[in-house]
Amino acid sequence: MQTDFLIIGQGIAGTCMAHALLQRGKTVQVIDLPAQNRSSVVAAGICNPITGKHFSLTWEAGKLFSTLVPFYESIGRVLGRQVFLPLPFYRNYHSIENQNQLSVRVASPDFAPFVEEPQGEPYKHWIDSPLGGWQTRQSGFVKVADLLKDYRAYLVAQDAFREARFTHEDLQVGKDKVIWQDIEAQKIIFCEGLQARQNPLFPDLAFTPNKGEWIKIRLQEPYTCPAILKQGVFFLPLGEGIYQVGATYDNTQTEPDNTPTEAGRQELLTQLREWLKVPFEVIDQQAGIRPATRTRRPSLQIHPTHPHIGLLNGLGSKGVSLAPFLALEMAEMILT
Ligand SMILES: Cc1cc2nc3c(=O)[nH]c(=O)nc-3n(C[C@H](O)[C@H](O)[C@H](O)COP(=O)(O)OP(=O)(O)OC[C@H]3O[C@@H](n4cnc5c(N)ncnc54)[C@H](O)[C@@H]3O)c2cc1C
């Protein structure tokens, strides 16, 4: 079988990479073994341009956020449904200084397009806001597990997906092609997430695996909050009174497992109970490992001696915002 591109991995990185190439008229074969996937499938899928108590603008926020909406819309057109669900991301001011700090930041032209103060008290049913609060524009979320499943079906329908474990020892690298099993491709792009630690072609990728957990809760009254709330934990409305609450961060283990823990559950519940005003029950809990790098930056590389081999990885805790922009960048780099 001949193809333009072999793509290894169908997490959010591999999915966006495949889409970027298909949109440019290239053929792809995506190789993935879903059972190994514990990052994208558990992602809450939130895209938020401003993070932290001190209002830090996400790396390359302007580029990421102007790319992601049209990119997910383009995926939505092939899947026949909306993929990116826009929603404000709201936080309380925690002090007067904090409020003043935001007024200063809003004066910056990079920052201003992403922030606003809500009118009235639209979230008072869920949270008290004695000092008021602020929310982001251009934020929202993607139901990542559904996206991966649907995009896989779309690839399968085009005979562009193979459920298999990719084995590096069986890869033959030629001057201007690669061969793996019966597939001959002009180029190959690795989107393996944390499993890139076994990739001999890119041995310098330095990961700091970061375990994350979330819980799903059901409110007694099935109201849907018109924003993602964040106060210690995020509170993401999934509809019909169901909310996802997360996430924990633990980068202290070199070989974390993806088992949910009682400690993770209690950490989330303690933070949530500090402010959520309405009764709820926990209905689910999941964990996964973020492919974070030591530099906390994504990695987009063309192999130094094989220009037909690329890598897209290191998406850390922001894969859903980063992947569209980086996939388009990689397509540009590897096709020129
Ligand atoms: C609890 C939690 C919450 C999160 N919430 C968010 C969020 O709200 N917003 C956000 O942007 N990000 C979030 N993230 C981070 C996000 O999940 C990651 O940034 C993203 O999933 C990384 O995607 P990836 O495609 O690089 O890796 P992965 O999702 O790990 O995908 C890699 C794929 O490659 C496959 N693969 C690798 N090697 C092989 C092989 N040899 N053969 C076959 N298949 C192979 C794997 O099976 C897998 O399917 C969260 C993460 C966690 C753990």
Side-chain angles (χ1 to χ4, degrees):
M1 169 188 281
Q2 303 241 338
T3 185
D4 294 331
F5 279 88
L6 249 180
I7 296 174
I8 311 306
Q10 198 237 333
I12 193 70
T15 299
C16 291
M17 195 64 249
H19 189 68
L21 292 167
L22 289 170
Q23 292 305 100
R24 285 165 176 253
K26 300 296 169 191
T27 55
V28 303
Q29 269 298 312
V30 180
I31 312 295
D32 188 279
L33 198 59
Q36 299 174 350
N37 187 347
R38 294 305 299 165
S39 186
S40 298
V41 278
V42 299
I46 297 171
C47 302
N48 168 31
I50 300 169
T51 54
K53 281 186 182 161
H54 302 295
F55 317 116
S56 309
L57 202 56
T58 290
W59 175 79
E60 297 287 14
K63 289 179 184 164
L64 299 186
F65 281 80
S66 58
T67 306
L68 73 85
V69 173
F71 192 90
Y72 287 125
E73 275 173 2
S74 153
I75 295 189
R77 278 193 291 279
V78 303
L79 299 184
R81 65 170 178 83
Q82 191 177 4
V83 171
F84 179 74
L85 306 162
L87 214 51
F89 190 94
Y90 175 84
R91 284 164 193 252
N92 270 348
Y93 292 120
H94 51 84
S95 64
I96 300 289
E97 294 73 47
N98 187 234
Q99 209 169 3
N100 293 338
Q101 216 177 8
L102 186 74
S103 326
V104 174
R105 298 284 276 129
V106 166
S108 139
D110 292 346
F111 197 86
F114 292 116
V115 74
E116 65 187 359
E117 279 191 0
Q119 299 297 310
E121 290 182 72
Y123 316 122
K124 69 176 178 197
H125 184 80
W126 297 272
I127 187 170
D128 286 326
S129 306
L131 298 174
W134 60 282
Q135 65 190 26
T136 51
R137 295 197 195 106
Q138 303 188 35
S139 47
F141 74 109
V142 170
K143 290 184 175 174
V144 186
D146 292 349
L147 166 62
L148 300 189
K149 183 165 68 65
D150 294 351
Y151 206 85
R152 178 168 306 168
Y154 169 68
L155 292 170
V156 168
Q158 300 178 60
D159 197 20
F161 181 84
R162 190 174 294 187
E163 186 168 324
R165 191 170 83 82
F166 176 84
T167 42
H168 284 277
E169 54 278 19
D170 298 326
L171 181 70
Q172 299 171 46
V173 179
K175 195 166 168 296
D176 50 12
K177 66 177 178 187
V178 295
I179 299 174
W180 184 74
Q181 294 188 348
D182 60 323
I183 306 171
E184 184 176 309
Q186 289 176 15
K187 298 173 196 268
I188 183 166
I189 303 178
F190 291 99
C191 303
E192 304 155 286
L194 210 53
Q195 289 173 75
R197 291 185 294 181
Q198 277 89 51
N199 187 332
L201 288 158
F202 293 93
D204 296 333
L205 265 182
F207 285 104
T208 305
N210 190 321
K211 179 167 179 172
E213 300 187 44
W214 53 252
I215 53 174
K216 214 173 261 183
I217 63 171
R218 182 187 287 121
L219 305 193
Q220 223 169 61
E221 296 169 341
Y223 298 136
T224 298
C225 182
I228 303 163
L229 307 183
K230 173 85 193 266
Q231 188 88 333
V233 285
F234 66 72
F235 176 75
L236 169 69
L238 300 174
E240 297 172 357
I242 311 278
Y243 291 77
Q244 200 165 340
V245 177
T248 62
Y249 289 83
D250 178 5
N251 62 7
T252 59
Q253 307 169 44
T254 44
E255 289 301 332
D257 61 36
N258 49 38
T259 316
T261 65
E262 185 55 29
R265 182 188 180 102
Q266 289 310 327
E267 181 183 329
L268 296 170
L269 284 172
T270 303
Q271 294 192 63
L272 183 66
R273 284 184 178 129
E274 279 175 16
W275 58 267
L276 184 64
K277 293 163 60 180
V278 293
F280 64 87
E281 60 169 333
V282 178
I283 56 171
D284 192 12
Q285 180 180 5
Q286 289 201 31
I289 321 289
R290 304 174 182 92
T293 58
R294 236 169 260 166
T295 59
R296 304 178 74 184
R297 286 279 178 270
S299 184
L300 199 61
Q301 297 187 43
I302 299 287
H303 191 276
T305 53
H306 303 297
H308 56 308
I309 300 183
L311 172 134
L312 167 50
N313 209 316
L315 301 188
S317 58
K318 294 184 180 155
V320 185
S321 316
L322 288 164
F325 173 70
L326 295 175
L328 291 173
E329 287 283 298
M330 172 54 83
E332 196 64 38
M333 279 160 66
I334 205 157
L335 286 170
T336 47

